[in-house]
Amino acid sequence: MGKINSVEKLTDNRFVNLYNVKATSVHNTQVDYFVASRAKSIESMKLSTHKNIPDGVIIYSVYGEKHDKVVLIRQYRYTLGDYIYEFPAGLVEPGENYHEGAVRELYEETGLTLKPIEVEEAYQKPYFTTVGMTDESCATVYGYASGEISAAAQEDSEEIEVVIADREEVKRILREENVAIMCAYMLMHFLHDDEPFAFLNQK
């Protein structure tokens, strides 16, 4: 196993920071690596704590009486200089569990109310998003959305369009649009399962 020799914090930003990791690989090669992290300090990075506490939450919710539409957002991302389709998502606040975070984030981004469903831990626990460049991990919350779409609670820095997509629109989105990978996999389930949450081992 490789060995981390030192970690230096390079930035001091609100949402994400860059850390320089100097290490020695299992082959005794010197490694100079950069890690983006939601952590505010070296001590709270996952390479220090070895605890997978979720930084954020992703919300897979369906809408409509027949549960035949899925709630998506089309968001402008500076990393791409373009729009991408995603599930509503956001950071978990300190002292907040990720189910509470999901309810809050869905409302803030879409104006909709989320009724989460209970599922086995393996389907909702935090998993790492892009481990080659960040230690960020996100939990997933599933549920039913209701209410009227509103942008009133969106932040001024966000450029978000709420999309309620049926299966035909989901097919088009997967064929033609930029889609976040975790969202894409779930949309494939949505397309092929009569019951949107059939793949979950619900409690």
Side-chain angles (χ1 to χ4, degrees):
M1 185 168 70
K3 178 185 176 183
I4 294 172
N5 301 317
S6 66
V7 183
E8 179 186 3
K9 187 179 182 185
L10 302 179
T11 61
D12 190 22
N13 294 316
R14 179 182 173 192
F15 295 115
V16 65
N17 284 289
L18 188 65
Y19 294 83
N20 184 205
V21 177
K22 294 188 183 298
T24 305
S25 79
V26 68
H27 305 293
N28 206 33
T29 301
Q30 297 306 301
V31 177
D32 194 15
Y33 208 84
F34 293 91
V35 177
S37 179
R38 302 286 188 184
K40 300 289 194 290
S41 67
I42 295 169
E43 293 74 23
S44 58
M45 294 177 72
K46 293 183 178 69
L47 59 79
S48 297
T49 66
H50 299 284
K51 294 179 180 178
N52 187 9
I53 297 171
D55 302 287
V57 63
I58 299 166
I59 305 115
Y60 175 17
S61 61
V62 294
Y63 187 86
E65 290 184 7
K66 297 181 180 179
H67 304 151
D68 57 350
K69 298 179 178 65
V70 63
V71 181
L72 303 173
I73 60 171
R74 179 176 178 266
Q75 184 167 7
Y76 181 82
R77 291 292 192 179
Y78 295 106
T79 48
L80 303 178
D82 203 350
Y83 291 90
I84 186 168
Y85 283 79
E86 308 171 66
F87 283 131
L91 298 180
V92 178
E93 300 289 348
E96 180 182 57
N97 71 54
Y98 57 83
H99 291 93
E100 294 168 339
V103 173
R104 175 183 52 76
E105 283 291 344
L106 188 73
Y107 176 76
E108 288 178 0
E109 292 194 350
T110 70
L112 300 174
T113 299
L114 177 68
K115 181 181 178 182
I117 61 173
E118 292 188 22
V119 301
E120 291 291 339
E121 186 64 17
Y123 294 93
Q124 63 181 354
K125 73 175 190 177
Y127 288 101
F128 294 100
T129 55
T130 314
V131 75
M133 59 184 296
T134 178
D135 66 354
E136 180 188 57
S137 67
C138 289
T140 306
V141 172
Y142 310 84
Y144 301 101
S146 61
E148 299 295 326
I149 293 171
S150 171
Q154 291 180 8
E155 296 182 12
D156 291 341
S157 60
E158 295 177 321
E159 189 174 337
I160 293 174
E161 173 192 350
V162 182
V163 177
I164 306 295
D166 61 15
R167 285 178 171 82
E168 287 304 310
E169 178 62 4
V170 165
K171 289 178 186 177
R172 187 200 68 78
I173 288 168
L174 288 173
R175 282 195 308 265
E176 301 176 9
E177 304 287 356
N178 294 324
V179 185
I181 189 167
M182 290 177 289
C183 178
Y185 286 147
M186 294 294 190
L187 291 180
M188 293 172 197
H189 278 293
F190 177 75
L191 281 182
H192 295 288
D193 296 340
D194 291 334
E195 163 54 46
F197 302 133
F199 67 99
L200 298 172
N201 186 5
Q202 298 185 42
K203 290 184 176 180

